[in-house]
Amino acid sequence: MRREKPYLLAIDQGTTSTRAMLFDAAARPVASHAIPLRQIYPANGWVEHDAGEIWQAALECCRAVLNGIPASQVAAIGITNQRETSLIWDRKTGAPLHNAIVWQDRRTAARCAALRKAGKAATIARKTGLLPDPYFSATKLEWLLKNVKGVKTRNGRLKDIAFGTIDSWLIWNLTRGAVHACDVTNASRTMLWNLKTRGWDPQLLKLFGVPRAVLPQVRESRGDFGTADPALLGAAIPILGVAGDQQAACFGQACFAPGDVKSTYGTGCFALVNTGRSVPRSRNRLLATALAGEQYAIEGSIFIAGAVVQWLRDELKILHAAAASETMAKQAACAEGLYFVPAFTGLGAPYWDPDARGAILGLTRDSGRAEIVRAALDAVCYQTRDLLEAMRRDVAAAGLKRLTSLKVDGGMVANDWFCQRLADLTGLRVDRPRVIETTALGAAYLAGLGAGLFESRKDIAARWALDRRFTPALKPKARDKLYAGWQQAVRRVRGQMLKIR
Ligand code: ADP
């Protein structure tokens, strides 16, 4: 094992902030620095980021964590990033031609509806594992190519431009334009990359009018993505690991065996189950996606998880801090029949109902603040069960082992009451690791494997350390009864955007 360069530098470029973390050779966090990212809302439902700001923040964060440590001591850089967010830049100048269009942006909703109407959904799902939705990059890139001034020359020819997801943008800048590449996990979120052939799909490129020449080269997550220009950080550090945020978290959680599940509770919730080396197909409205290491996963996402706690704090003002939700929930009376469906922006997997809206059902005279807080935390658990039910069916159809435990991470899992309730309402053992910064950790692991700091995935799995295990305490009958109530509550809010004239 090489020990002469004892550090790993991870860049974690997220939706609301850009962070760098420095890890030592045993993958222990040594330093961390984050810079918030400006959200740009040019129109209703549109969300953009300034790509230049992203790059400058990434560079500043890297310099801040190195603080006094010579860059020559860093064995490798790992990158993890918000997925699907798309941008184009001029290959000659390296200047972005437009703001990046963020994954949350809905500007291509009508185009996606038209694709569904034209019967393209089945082909798209078969090839990419995804659903025609504005979330993914393809229609964002199509929009950019059609609408950005300066993309075409006077005689209508496409200029020398590059398309990238955020990982490729960072790689391009770190290598000063020497490498235009993205990793397989990011490619698998574009809706242009074929999970089976593991290449850009010619039929989809045609469908979305995307010339092959603008696309990055796709490389394995644990791979060679070039070397950071020494003028930037002080040494020519190799970039040896890249993965989209959820796939990086999966790696950081050491979900390496088929049937391993991780669930991340930040603003939203993303659950992924490793399905091994063959390409999965969800029959239950979840997504199929690539993992690092030539494996695949089935993924389900919930739009509102920690965001419901934020809403209670910032809009309803019944919490002074997110962490206070724990004490409140403990104090609450067990208000049976009280359900909070936080469908603020519709419902994600497995419902995919953009018209659903939030509701609190079953209020009585003794429902107070504490009961509402508890119902909100419950909702995140019930929504997780919704995902797990769909996953269980997919996993059973694929002949994989039964799901027995859930590895959790993200800001919300600091809440013990929530973790216990999650175990109770899903019936799965909930395991919380010591390091809950699993996204940056995953990127560091990938880079560290490449640099020879870790020998194998087995070596990484052995480093996964449990902070606390939560075991289901509720009887299955009681659990199912409560869940049946949740399903009724969801039924009541579906397609229910109230139209008042
Ligand atoms: P993101 O990466 O999406 O910004 P984080 O992983 O930082 O999110 O988690 C922050 C989210 O977790 C916020 O939505 C916040 O409301 C929620 N949160 C943080 N601490 C707690 C807590 N102790 N109990 C419940 N929710 C919490």
Side-chain angles (χ1 to χ4, degrees), residues 16 264-268 305-310 313 322-326 377 410-415 418:
T16 55
T264 301
Y265 296 90
T267 310
V308 72
V309 179
Q310 273 169 30
R313 185 192 61 197
S325 61
E326 179 159 4
L377 296 181
M412 217 180 155
V413 306
N415 184 325
F418 167 70

Coordinates of all heavy atoms in Angstrom, one line a residue, residues 16 264-268 305-310 313 322-326 377 410-415 418, ligand 1:
T16 N -27.4 23.1 -3.4 CA -27.5 24.4 -2.6 C -26.1 24.8 -2.2 O -26.0 25.9 -1.7 CB -28.4 24.2 -1.4 OG1 -27.9 23.1 -0.6 CG2 -29.8 24.0 -1.8
T264 N -30.9 8.3 1.6 CA -30.4 9.5 2.0 C -31.5 10.5 2.3 O -32.3 10.8 1.4 CB -29.4 10.1 0.9 OG1 -28.4 9.1 0.6 CG2 -28.8 11.4 1.3
Y265 N -31.5 11.1 3.5 CA -32.5 12.0 3.9 C -32.0 13.5 4.0 O -31.5 13.9 5.1 CB -33.2 11.6 5.2 CG -33.9 10.3 5.0 CD1 -33.2 9.1 5.3 CD2 -35.2 10.2 4.6 CE1 -33.8 7.9 5.1 CE2 -35.8 9.0 4.4 CZ -35.1 7.8 4.7 OH -35.8 6.6 4.5
G266 N -32.0 14.2 2.9 CA -31.6 15.6 2.9 C -32.9 16.4 2.7 O -34.0 16.1 3.3
T267 N -32.9 17.3 1.8 CA -34.1 18.1 1.4 C -35.1 17.1 0.9 O -36.3 17.1 1.3 CB -33.7 19.1 0.2 OG1 -32.6 19.8 0.6 CG2 -34.9 20.0 -0.1
G268 N -34.7 16.2 0.0 CA -35.6 15.1 -0.5 C -35.0 13.8 0.0 O -34.1 13.8 0.8
A305 N -38.5 15.5 1.9 CA -38.2 14.8 3.1 C -37.9 15.8 4.2 O -38.8 16.4 4.8 CB -37.1 13.8 2.9
G306 N -36.6 16.2 4.4 CA -36.2 17.2 5.3 C -36.9 18.6 5.0 O -37.0 19.4 5.9
A307 N -37.3 18.7 3.7 CA -38.0 20.0 3.4 C -39.3 20.2 4.1 O -39.7 21.3 4.3 CB -38.2 20.0 1.9
V308 N -39.9 19.1 4.6 CA -41.1 19.3 5.3 C -40.8 19.9 6.7 O -41.6 20.7 7.3 CB -42.0 18.0 5.4 CG1 -41.3 16.9 6.3 CG2 -43.4 18.3 5.9
V309 N -39.6 19.5 7.2 CA -39.2 20.0 8.5 C -38.9 21.5 8.4 O -39.2 22.4 9.2 CB -38.0 19.2 9.1 CG1 -37.5 19.8 10.4 CG2 -38.4 17.8 9.2
Q310 N -38.2 21.8 7.2 CA -37.9 23.2 6.9 C -39.2 24.1 6.8 O -39.3 25.2 7.3 CB -37.3 23.3 5.5 CG -35.8 23.2 5.5 CD -35.3 23.0 4.1 OE1 -35.8 23.5 3.1 NE2 -34.2 22.3 3.9
R313 N -40.6 24.8 10.1 CA -39.8 25.9 10.8 C -40.0 27.2 10.1 O -40.2 28.2 10.8 CB -38.3 25.4 10.7 CG -37.3 26.3 11.4 CD -35.9 26.0 11.0 NE -35.7 26.2 9.6 CZ -34.7 25.8 8.9 NH1 -33.8 25.0 9.4 NH2 -34.6 26.0 7.6
A322 N -34.6 22.8 13.0 CA -35.0 21.4 12.5 C -34.8 20.4 13.6 O -35.6 19.5 13.7 CB -34.1 21.1 11.3
A323 N -33.7 20.5 14.4 CA -33.4 19.5 15.4 C -34.5 19.4 16.5 O -34.7 18.4 17.1 CB -32.1 19.8 16.0
A324 N -35.3 20.6 16.7 CA -36.3 20.6 17.7 C -37.5 19.6 17.3 O -38.3 19.3 18.2 CB -36.9 22.0 17.9
S325 N -37.5 19.2 16.1 CA -38.6 18.3 15.7 C -38.5 17.0 16.5 O -39.5 16.3 16.7 CB -38.5 18.0 14.2 OG -37.3 17.3 13.9
E326 N -37.3 16.6 17.0 CA -37.2 15.4 17.7 C -37.9 15.4 19.1 O -38.7 14.6 19.4 CB -35.7 15.1 17.9 CG -35.5 13.8 18.7 CD -34.1 13.2 18.5 OE1 -33.2 13.8 17.8 OE2 -33.9 12.1 19.1
L377 N -42.9 13.9 10.3 CA -41.8 12.9 10.3 C -42.3 11.6 9.9 O -41.7 10.9 9.1 CB -41.2 12.9 11.7 CG -40.5 14.1 12.2 CD1 -39.9 13.9 13.6 CD2 -39.4 14.6 11.3
G410 N -27.6 11.5 5.5 CA -28.2 12.8 5.2 C -28.6 13.5 6.5 O -28.6 12.9 7.6
G411 N -28.8 14.8 6.4 CA -29.0 15.7 7.6 C -30.1 15.2 8.6 O -30.0 15.4 9.8
M412 N -31.1 14.6 8.0 CA -32.3 14.3 8.9 C -32.0 13.1 9.8 O -32.8 12.9 10.8 CB -33.4 13.9 7.9 CG -34.8 14.4 8.4 SD -36.0 13.9 7.2 CE -37.4 13.9 8.4
V413 N -31.1 12.3 9.5 CA -30.9 11.1 10.3 C -30.1 11.4 11.6 O -29.9 10.4 12.4 CB -30.2 9.9 9.5 CG1 -31.0 9.6 8.3 CG2 -28.7 10.2 9.2
A414 N -29.8 12.6 11.8 CA -29.3 13.0 13.2 C -30.4 12.9 14.2 O -30.2 12.8 15.4 CB -28.8 14.5 13.1
N415 N -31.7 12.8 13.7 CA -32.9 12.7 14.6 C -33.1 11.2 14.9 O -33.6 10.4 14.1 CB -34.0 13.3 13.8 CG -35.3 13.4 14.5 OD1 -35.6 12.5 15.3 ND2 -36.1 14.4 14.3
F418 N -36.8 9.9 14.6 CA -37.1 9.7 13.2 C -36.5 8.3 12.8 O -37.2 7.5 12.1 CB -36.6 10.8 12.3 CG -36.6 10.4 10.8 CD1 -37.7 10.3 10.1 CD2 -35.4 10.2 10.2 CE1 -37.8 10.0 8.8 CE2 -35.4 9.8 8.8 CZ -36.6 9.7 8.1
Ligands
ADP1 P1 -29.2 18.8 1.5 O1 -27.9 18.1 1.2 O2 -30.4 18.3 0.7 O3 -29.1 20.3 1.6 P2 -28.8 17.8 4.3 O4 -28.4 16.4 4.2 O5 -27.8 18.9 4.7 O6 -29.6 18.3 3.0 O7 -30.0 17.8 5.4 C1 -30.7 19.0 5.7 C2 -32.2 18.6 5.8 O8 -32.4 17.8 7.0 C3 -33.0 19.9 6.0 O9 -34.2 19.8 5.2 C4 -33.4 19.9 7.5 O10 -34.8 20.3 7.6 C5 -33.4 18.4 7.8 N1 -32.9 18.2 9.2 C6 -31.7 18.5 9.7 N2 -31.5 18.1 11.0 C7 -32.7 17.5 11.3 C8 -33.2 16.9 12.5 N3 -32.5 16.8 13.6 N4 -34.5 16.4 12.5 C9 -35.2 16.5 11.4 N5 -34.8 17.0 10.2 C10 -33.6 17.6 10.2

